């Protein structure tokens, strides 16, 4: 019987290795930029075309290579970083595996030009699919220029899985940002489709962060620094006011290498303790310096995961360092010896509804004032008591507001009103299926509009809308319901012609991070069809000249766009097309919030529009009900018989 095991040809072995190392164009950028940094380059250029599918070129002014080294660099397991196995435990360089260039050359057309300072002529190499087509001397500057063309040209199955040019460029730019953050002492330039996108001169870390992310972060960054026998920690964390609903600006670097670690992220999150609400994420740019012998960085092909010798120790050091930095910036609670309750924790602007945390032994006026003083101090991050005059002014303002609300409710109770189903907005075409008694589209026990009580709806804890029924009551989640309404409205507009836009009297300017700017460029066509008028204003700045007419005056335009970008980034359901994803994201950012006070007319309108939706039972995500009903019999059973 013939033997069946045989050695693979080098070309196939290289393609298999490329499948581990080269996942998309961003993987190529990572490997080439890291090699340029290791070569001692002080000025690095990244040139891209068509999302990296047509061209990825990295030019550096580093040490360059000899003709022999240039040829050897394309062989598998060829590296200048390792001489023995022991060297693996003392590595501080990046590109050490010795498979990157060989893997890239196996799935692309590669052109290499390089020259050392001591050489008069450089070397020009052309490689295609692991095959060296030519090698000859050439004139070129000191350093190395590496061009990768037609990535995956010989692996069409891999190429067809690449995303759109805009989506791939987003990943490319994120990889560029990570390396630029890790090395602020170097100069970086980014060109995309013959246009210069970024010019980053050598500078300090703080300046590098502010050149890549919105300028508003300047007042929201808190420096942290700690040196111990085990590790060094430095960088910046954001004040609670800079927290976001998505994990955007969160960067960990170990020995100047970007890593991902849910364990270390938990340490950062726990350092904020009660300073942030549950679903808010802090921003941070944290650099750890640690003895390479205490870590293992060769546990993943992309080298973005690291094993620590003592994770618990790193966790505790990191948490303590961040808490110390926040305390120095007067963000964490401090002792005020003039206050009656010196241990009262700061909520940093995120207060629960009034009454949940109030002491029943205090007078109502002081309770209201205590909550308002916490809110007023949230800008600085410290819960400091206001002056006596300000306390009295807040007191009077809250009492006046309370009497005004009570008087308004008394008037509304005396005024009869029409049922919400008699308003101008039409309900479902099948009028008999408007409010199911149980949560099911197929429920046959749904009450008709005549079963509704002729009484006004009211808010419960500024979170739910309660509408009485003759057979019980209807409880609506105001945010989930509004999201459903907006989602269906936006989806219709995206699939139809351009929607009307309300021009701003004073256009708003916003500055975005590099990643957000790339995402916004990708979404501008859809945003314009919704009625947004957004124009680039140089760099990462944009001008919002108009918003959809339905949203005009209801929210800050800049905050609305930024929240939409955060929501879109986290909306990763693969079954959604771009329009559905956009409509869902914008609905999440524009919907009323929990804790927002609604007028009676707004509640009436929300109820009417909800039951005019095609699918009014669920929020757009499908994970939350828009409303539930309670029958009188069910309520009676809850009290017992």
């Amino acid at each position: 019987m013939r033997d069946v095991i045989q050695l693979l040809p080098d070309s196939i072995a290289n393609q298999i290795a490329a499948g581990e190392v080269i996942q998309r164009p961003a993987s190529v950028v990572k490997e080439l930029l890291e090699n340029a940094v290791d070569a001692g380059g002080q000025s690095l250029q990244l040139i891209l075309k068509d999302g990296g599918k047509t061209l990825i070129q990295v030019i550096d002014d580093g040490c360059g290579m000899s003709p022999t080294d240039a040829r050897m660099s394309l062989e598998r397991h060829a590296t200048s970083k390792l001489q023995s196995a022991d060297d693996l435990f003392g590595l501080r360089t990046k590109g050490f595996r010795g498979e990157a260039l060989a893997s890239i050359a196996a799935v692309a057309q590669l052109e290499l030009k390089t020259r050392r300072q001591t050489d008069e002529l450089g070397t020009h190499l052309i490689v295609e699919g692991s095959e060296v087509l030519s090698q000859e001397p050439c004139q070129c500057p000191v350093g190395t220029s590496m061009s990768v063309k037609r990535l995956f040209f010989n692996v069409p199955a891999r190429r067809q899985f690449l995303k759109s040019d805009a989506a791939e460029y987003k990943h490319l730019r994120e990889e560029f940002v990570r390396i630029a953050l890790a090395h602020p002492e170097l100069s970086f330039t980014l060109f995309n489709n013959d246009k210069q996108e970024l010019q980053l001169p050598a500078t300090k870390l703080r300046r590098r962060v502010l050149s890549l992310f919105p300028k508003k972060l300047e007042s929201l960054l808190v420096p942290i620094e700690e040196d111990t026998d085990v590790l060094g920690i430095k960088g910046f964390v954001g004040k609670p006011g800079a927290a976001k609903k998505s994990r955007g600006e969160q960067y960990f670097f170990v020995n100047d290498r970007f890593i991902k670690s849910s364990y270390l992220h938990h340490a950062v999150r726990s350092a904020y303790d009660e300073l942030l609400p549950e679903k808010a994420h802090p921003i941070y740019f944290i650099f750890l310096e640690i003895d390479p012998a205490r870590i293992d960085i060769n546990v993943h092909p992309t080298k973005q995961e690291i094993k620590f010798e003592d994770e618990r120790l790193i966790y505790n050091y990191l948490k303590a360092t961040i808490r110390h930095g926040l305390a120095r910036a007067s963000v964490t609670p401090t002792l005020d010896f003039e206050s009656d309750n010196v241990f009262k924790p700061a909520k940093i602007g995120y207060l629960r509804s009034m009454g949940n945390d109030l002491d029943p032994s205090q007078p109502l006026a002081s309770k209201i004032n205590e909550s308002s003083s916490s809110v007023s101090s949230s800008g600085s991050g410290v819960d400091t008591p206001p002056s006596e005059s300000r306390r009295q002014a807040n007191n009077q303002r809250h009492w006046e507001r309370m009497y005004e609300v009570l008087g308004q409710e008394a008037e509304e109770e005396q005024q009869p009103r029409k049922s919400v189903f008699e308003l101008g907005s039409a309900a479902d075409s099948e009028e008999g299926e408007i409010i199911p008694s149980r949560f099911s589209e197929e429920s046959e026990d749904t009450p008709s509009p005549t079963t509704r009580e002729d009484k006004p709806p009211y808010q419960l804890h500024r979170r739910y809308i309660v509408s009485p029924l003759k057979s019980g009551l209807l409880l609506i989640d105001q945010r989930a319901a509004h999201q459903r309404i907006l989602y269906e409205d936006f989806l219709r507009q995206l699939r139809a012609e351009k929607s009307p836009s309300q021009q701003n009297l004073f256009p708003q300017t916003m500055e975005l991070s590099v990643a957000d700017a790339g995402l916004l460029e990708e979404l501008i066509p859809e945003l314009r069809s919704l009625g947004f008028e957004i124009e680039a204003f140089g760099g990462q700045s944009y001008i919002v000249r108009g918003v959809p007419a339905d949203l005009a005056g209801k929210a800050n335009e800049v905050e609305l766009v930024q929240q939409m970008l955060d929501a879109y980034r986290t909306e990763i359901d693969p079954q959604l097309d771009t329009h559905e994803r956009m409509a869902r994201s914008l609905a999440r950012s524009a919907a009323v919030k929990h804790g927002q006070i609604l007028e009676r007319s707004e509640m009436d309108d929300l109820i009417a529009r909800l039951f005019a939706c095609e699918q009014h039972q669920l929020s757009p995500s499908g994970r939350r009900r828009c409303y539930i009903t309670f029958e009188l019999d069910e309520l009676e059973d809850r009290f017992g018989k």
Side-chain angles (χ1 to χ4, degrees):
M1 185 175 179
R2 193 181 64 169
D3 297 331
V4 295
I5 297 178
Q6 57 184 343
L7 289 176
L8 288 173
D10 287 343
S11 59
I12 298 178
N14 286 338
Q15 287 190 15
I16 294 173
E20 297 180 354
V21 181
I22 311 302
Q23 300 172 359
R24 63 194 326 152
S27 305
V28 176
V29 168
K30 176 181 184 297
E31 298 293 346
L32 296 186
L33 283 177
E34 287 183 347
N35 283 340
V37 171
D38 288 343
Q42 297 298 307
S43 178
L44 284 69
Q45 298 181 50
L46 173 61
I47 302 170
L48 305 170
K49 285 188 178 180
D50 303 327
K53 301 172 187 176
T54 302
L55 173 67
I56 299 172
Q57 183 177 8
V58 172
I59 303 173
D60 69 71
D61 57 355
C63 62
M65 291 181 283
S66 68
T68 302
D69 285 344
R71 179 66 184 82
M72 283 295 296
S73 68
L74 302 177
E75 297 294 332
R76 290 191 68 194
H77 310 303
T79 178
S80 62
K81 317 294 174 57
L82 301 175
Q83 301 297 327
S84 67
D86 293 337
D87 293 340
L88 281 170
F89 303 101
L91 281 169
R92 289 190 176 273
T93 54
K94 295 178 171 61
F96 67 88
R97 287 173 56 91
E99 293 186 2
L101 292 183
S103 299
I104 294 171
V107 292
Q109 297 171 339
L110 188 147
E111 182 177 0
L112 169 63
K113 292 182 179 180
T114 183
R115 181 170 77 89
R116 297 181 299 183
Q117 182 71 45
T118 56
D119 296 336
E120 292 185 2
L121 293 176
T123 301
H124 183 200
L125 266 168
I126 298 178
V127 184
E128 184 174 298
S130 295
E131 181 182 354
V132 178
L133 300 182
S134 69
Q135 179 175 351
E136 56 188 11
C138 71
Q139 285 284 356
C140 62
V142 174
T144 301
S145 171
M146 192 82 68
S147 300
V148 178
K149 304 174 183 177
R150 297 181 61 200
L151 185 64
F152 298 131
F153 80 100
N154 56 350
V155 192
R158 292 290 303 275
R159 189 174 179 87
Q160 72 180 5
F161 279 101
L162 295 179
K163 305 299 183 182
S164 65
D165 291 353
E168 292 298 340
Y169 177 64
K170 181 175 67 174
H171 291 284
L172 289 163
R173 187 156 53 171
E174 177 61 23
E175 202 63 62
F176 178 84
V177 166
R178 291 170 180 172
I179 296 177
L181 280 174
H183 300 280
E185 73 281 2
L186 305 181
S187 171
F188 291 86
T189 307
L190 171 62
F191 294 90
N192 181 44
N193 293 331
D194 300 322
K195 176 184 176 183
Q196 181 175 304
E197 296 283 348
L198 286 172
Q199 173 68 55
L200 305 173
T203 184
K204 300 293 184 182
L205 177 60
R206 188 183 186 93
R207 284 289 107 197
R208 177 60 53 86
V209 170
L210 295 177
S211 64
L212 290 170
F213 300 96
K215 296 290 190 297
K216 66 179 182 180
L217 285 184
E218 185 165 12
S219 61
L220 297 173
L221 291 179
V222 175
I224 60 171
E225 187 169 3
E226 192 70 45
D227 286 316
T228 71
D229 295 337
V230 178
L231 81 163
I233 302 174
K234 67 177 182 179
F236 299 94
V237 296
K239 293 181 180 179
K244 305 176 70 175
K245 293 185 179 180
S246 62
R247 296 188 178 186
E249 290 77 36
Q250 296 182 341
Y251 294 89
F252 274 120
F253 299 90
V254 174
N255 296 344
D256 293 334
R257 182 192 300 276
F258 174 80
I259 68 162
K260 296 178 180 179
S261 173
S262 58
Y263 188 75
L264 294 184
H265 173 76
H266 189 274
V268 176
R269 190 63 179 79
S270 63
Y272 282 80
D273 200 14
E274 293 187 354
L275 301 179
L276 294 177
E278 182 180 353
K279 295 183 179 180
H281 299 281
I283 66 171
Y284 52 79
F285 309 88
I286 298 176
F287 292 76
L288 306 180
E289 286 291 331
I290 189 169
D291 184 354
R294 291 178 175 269
I295 59 176
D296 184 1
I297 59 177
N298 198 24
V299 297
H300 193 273
T302 62
K303 302 187 286 288
Q304 289 187 358
E305 298 178 9
I306 287 182
K307 285 186 177 180
F308 294 92
E309 184 180 68
D310 190 342
E311 284 189 331
R312 185 177 295 275
L313 187 64
I314 305 297
Y315 183 101
N316 291 331
Y317 271 133
L318 181 59
K319 179 179 177 180
T321 300
I322 294 174
R323 290 191 66 85
H324 185 51
L326 293 174
R328 284 201 306 264
S330 299
V331 173
T332 55
T334 57
L335 294 180
D336 184 351
F337 294 100
E338 296 182 0
S339 174
D340 294 335
N341 185 7
V342 297
F343 294 104
K344 183 176 66 176
K347 294 297 182 185
I348 315 302
Y350 294 100
L351 296 173
R352 286 175 285 183
S353 63
M354 191 182 302
N356 290 355
D357 302 319
L358 300 181
D359 183 355
S361 64
Q362 298 179 10
L364 177 61
S366 63
K367 297 175 188 177
I368 297 174
N369 182 66
E370 183 177 340
S371 295
S372 65
S373 65
S374 298
V375 175
S376 65
S377 64
S378 63
S380 62
V382 187
D383 194 10
T384 54
S387 64
E388 186 62 30
S389 60
R390 187 174 180 181
R391 184 185 298 276
Q392 293 175 357
N394 284 340
N395 232 1
Q396 181 177 355
R397 177 165 53 84
H398 282 294
W399 276 109
E400 290 175 351
R401 182 178 177 186
M402 186 183 74
Y403 281 118
E404 179 182 344
V405 172
L406 290 176
Q408 181 180 357
E409 290 181 352
E411 287 184 10
E412 290 179 350
E413 286 294 334
Q414 297 173 2
Q415 295 178 359
R417 73 176 186 92
K418 292 183 178 181
S419 169
V420 67
F421 297 98
E422 299 176 21
L423 296 176
S425 298
D428 263 342
S429 58
E430 297 179 18
E431 295 183 357
E433 296 185 1
I434 293 179
I435 309 176
S437 59
R438 289 295 181 269
F439 184 70
S440 171
E441 291 188 28
E442 292 80 15
S443 175
E444 297 179 357
D445 301 326
T446 53
S448 66
T450 58
T451 63
R452 290 183 51 82
E453 287 281 358
D454 192 20
K455 292 182 180 179
Y458 58 91
Q459 270 187 296
L460 180 65
H461 294 300
R462 302 179 185 177
R463 186 184 184 98
Y464 306 104
I465 298 173
V466 181
S467 182
L469 300 173
K470 288 183 178 180
S471 60
L473 62 88
L474 174 70
L475 189 63
I476 298 174
D477 184 317
Q478 66 185 42
R479 178 161 174 77
H482 199 209
Q483 284 185 14
R484 166 54 62 180
I485 294 166
L486 293 178
Y487 169 73
E488 294 197 5
D489 286 348
F490 291 142
L491 199 56
R492 281 193 296 270
Q493 294 169 18
L494 284 167
R495 291 172 175 172
E497 297 181 357
K498 189 175 184 301
S499 300
S501 174
Q502 176 67 51
Q503 297 295 307
N504 294 335
L505 183 59
F506 301 102
Q508 302 272 346
T509 303
M510 61 181 177
E511 288 197 14
L512 302 175
S513 65
V514 173
D516 282 348
L519 182 58
L520 181 61
E521 288 286 350
E522 180 183 349
L523 298 179
I524 278 182
E526 283 78 14
L527 288 171
R528 284 176 177 164
S529 67
L530 286 171
F532 283 93
E533 295 292 340
I534 301 177
E535 298 178 5
F537 191 55
Q540 292 125 243
S541 299
Y542 292 84
I543 296 179
V544 183
R545 298 190 181 278
V547 295
D550 292 342
L551 300 180
K554 296 182 180 179
N556 181 283
E557 294 89 346
V558 172
E559 292 181 1
L560 182 63
V561 174
Q562 290 176 332
Q563 291 172 5
M564 183 276 299
L565 293 175
D566 290 341
Y568 188 88
R569 190 184 297 107
T570 58
E571 193 66 67
I572 56 175
D573 189 340
Q575 297 181 351
L576 299 179
D577 60 26
T578 303
H579 286 172
E580 291 172 325
R581 194 175 169 193
M582 168 67 74
R584 215 187 253 195
S585 304
L586 196 53
R588 285 171 57 188
S589 59
V592 297
K593 306 297 188 290
H594 287 144
Q596 184 171 335
I597 298 176
L598 299 180
E599 301 293 338
R600 175 183 168 182
S601 59
E602 293 174 318
M603 289 186 279
D604 286 339
D605 182 64
L606 187 144
I607 295 173
R609 293 175 66 190
L610 172 63
F611 291 104
C613 292
E614 294 180 4
Q615 212 289 51
H616 48 70
Q617 284 92 356
L618 290 173
S619 67
S621 67
R623 294 189 292 267
R624 191 171 181 86
R625 300 180 181 183
C626 293
Y627 64 88
I628 57 177
T629 59
F630 294 91
E631 299 291 334
L632 287 177
D633 293 342
E634 180 182 350
L635 295 174
E636 184 66 25
D637 290 341
R638 297 293 295 272
F639 283 99
K641 295 182 179 179

